[in-house]
């Protein structure tokens, strides 16, 4: 009987902690939405054509810097933001679904994606989202794509899928259909062999410089480092829930794993659901 009571208590703590986090995230999102409406009381309601017109210049600018076809960038923006109509695009200016990482210094918007309440970046302006999209692609797994011509949208579409950008097997087909339906290839530009070599040299230097920091730059975190949830028990205890690890908790509260172990006199990294951990020094 005692064992059953303990299990029920544990289940209650897990549900309670999850509900607290969801409530905190909802409160956070409402504030983000309020700020967005205040900053832009008359938001633009895009059609796909007006979306293309609004963002083709920044897509071309990024293409000329790094070689990502403007047609690919625009097609991804159209597909992933619903031509700017998604909540993430409207309130967070995030047109490519880029998530928070441990180095993110800005605000966050939380919505269900791969997991419940995934953390997404909030940008001050949609152009920042387009620039961050380029930065996101400048990593080892996508390096081979930058050897393609900057107007080779077909192989870019296929290469993105093969490199793991999307799990949908029809992702290349979706991008290519959008590009050809709206003639987005008209914004792509050819380059001379000399221009191509100079552009590749610049991009590969930046990709190589990023490689040692890729985990920090590209691994999503559960919560924006700047805004951890404030549902601590007595202002300093975190209750362990399913999926928690010492590393995840350390990222959540901006404290090292070793400090967590010291504060809680933990001999190793093992923790249990329902366990209370001191997370404030």
């Amino acid at each position: 009987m005692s064992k059953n009571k303990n299990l029920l208590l544990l289940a209650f703590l897990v549900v309670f902690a999850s509900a607290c986090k969801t409530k905190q995230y909802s409160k956070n999102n409402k504030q983000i939405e309020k700020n967005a409406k205040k900053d832009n009381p008359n938001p633009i309601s895009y059609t796909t054509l007006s979306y293309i017109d609004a963002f083709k210049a920044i897509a071309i600018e990024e293409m000329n810097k790094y070689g990502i076809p403007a047609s690919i960038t625009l097609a991804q923006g159209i597909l992933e933001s619903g031509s700017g109509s998604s909540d993430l695009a409207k309130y967070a200016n995030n047109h490519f679904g880029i998530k928070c990482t441990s180095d993110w210094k800005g605000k966050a918007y939380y919505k269900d994606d791969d997991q419940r309440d995934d953390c997404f970046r909030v940008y001050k302006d949609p152009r920042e989202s387009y620039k961050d999209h380029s930065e996101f692609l400048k990593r080892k797994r996508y390096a081979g794509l930058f050897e393609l011509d900057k107007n080779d949208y077909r192989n870019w579409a296929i290469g993105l899928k093969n490199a793991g950008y999307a799990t949908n097997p029809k992702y290349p087909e979706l991008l290519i259909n959008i590009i050809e339906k709206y003639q987005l290839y008209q914004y792509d530009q050819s380059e001379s062999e000399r221009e191509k070599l100079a552009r590749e040299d610049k991009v590969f230097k930046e990709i190589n410089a990023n490689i040692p920091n890729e985990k920090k730059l590209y691994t999503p975190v559960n919560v924006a480092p700047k805004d951890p949830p404030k549902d601590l028990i007595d202002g300093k205890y975190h209750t362990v829930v399913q999926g928690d690890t010492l590393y995840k908790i350390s990222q959540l509260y901006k404290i090292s794993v070793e400090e967590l172990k010291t504060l809680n006199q933990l001999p190793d990294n093992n923790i249990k659901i329902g366990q209370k951990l001191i997370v404030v020094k």
Side-chain angles (χ1 to χ4, degrees):
M1 190 72 175
S2 176
K3 186 177 179 181
N4 288 338
K5 282 183 178 179
N6 287 339
L7 288 173
L8 285 171
L9 177 61
L10 193 58
F12 171 77
L13 287 172
V14 171
V15 171
F16 178 76
S18 178
C20 285
K21 283 186 178 180
T22 298
K23 185 176 180 181
Q24 179 65 33
Y25 295 147
S26 177
K27 184 178 178 182
N28 172 86
N29 285 1
K30 285 177 182 176
Q31 187 60 50
I32 295 294
E33 291 166 11
K34 182 179 178 181
N35 291 343
K37 290 171 183 176
K38 182 180 177 182
D39 293 340
N40 188 14
N42 298 302
I44 300 171
S45 181
Y46 295 106
T47 64
T48 300
L49 290 177
S50 65
Y51 181 90
I52 293 165
D53 195 52
F55 297 107
K56 64 186 181 185
I58 183 64
I60 292 169
E61 184 181 321
E62 293 300 295
M63 173 183 65
N64 290 331
K65 280 184 184 177
Y66 304 114
I68 306 162
S71 61
I72 285 288
T73 301
L74 285 168
Q76 286 187 290
I78 290 166
L79 182 62
E80 296 179 31
S81 76
S83 298
S85 66
S86 70
D87 285 350
L88 204 55
K90 287 190 296 184
Y91 302 125
N93 289 317
N94 189 333
H95 289 233
F96 298 93
I98 296 178
K99 295 180 180 178
C100 306
T101 53
S102 59
D103 68 323
W104 177 242
K105 307 301 181 187
K107 295 182 179 180
Y109 192 88
Y110 297 90
K111 65 185 290 290
D112 294 349
D113 190 53
D114 296 324
Q115 300 179 51
R116 184 170 182 175
D117 293 321
D118 271 341
C119 179
F120 291 87
R121 298 181 176 194
V122 174
Y123 300 98
K124 294 178 182 177
D125 183 275
R127 288 173 56 87
E128 292 182 9
S129 177
Y130 270 74
K131 291 178 180 180
D132 215 12
H133 171 261
S134 299
E135 294 299 322
F136 179 82
L137 291 175
K138 289 190 315 184
R139 56 204 285 198
K140 188 177 180 180
R141 69 195 293 183
Y142 302 118
L145 295 177
F146 292 93
E147 295 180 21
L148 297 169
D149 291 338
K150 67 178 186 178
N151 59 356
D152 189 357
Y153 67 86
R154 286 183 169 274
N155 281 316
W156 258 91
I158 294 166
L160 282 169
K161 170 64 180 67
N162 291 342
Y165 188 96
T167 56
N168 186 340
K170 293 187 177 181
Y171 192 72
E173 183 183 332
L174 291 171
L175 292 182
I176 291 168
N177 285 345
I178 291 170
I179 289 168
E180 296 184 345
K181 179 178 180 179
Y182 296 101
Q183 300 179 14
L184 300 181
Y185 48 74
Q186 68 183 292
Y187 305 117
D188 295 340
Q189 298 165 5
S190 60
E191 56 191 342
S192 68
E193 189 63 27
R194 184 176 177 180
E195 289 170 332
K196 186 172 186 283
L197 289 172
R199 189 256 303 163
E200 287 177 353
D201 184 56
K202 174 193 171 186
V203 173
F204 286 124
K205 279 181 181 176
E206 293 181 18
I207 290 174
N208 288 333
N210 280 343
I211 287 174
N213 302 310
E214 280 200 354
K215 186 172 182 180
K216 180 179 181 182
L217 292 171
Y218 305 118
T219 303
V221 294
N222 291 340
V223 67
K226 185 178 176 181
D227 301 311
K230 298 174 178 61
D231 55 332
L232 293 177
I233 299 170
D234 296 332
K236 66 175 183 177
Y237 292 100
H238 169 88
T239 303
V240 177
V241 298
Q242 187 172 6
D244 272 352
T245 63
L246 283 185
Y247 176 74
K248 282 186 178 180
I249 295 168
S250 74
Q251 294 294 299
L252 193 62
Y253 298 106
K254 303 185 76 173
I255 184 174
S256 72
V257 170
E258 288 307 313
E259 286 172 323
L260 269 176
K261 289 169 73 173
T262 300
L263 282 172
N264 295 279
Q265 300 180 349
L266 300 174
D268 50 41
N269 290 354
N270 293 322
I271 52 177
K272 297 178 182 178
I273 294 174
Q275 185 176 353
K276 291 181 182 178
L277 296 177
I278 300 171
V279 292
V280 177
K281 293 185 281 185

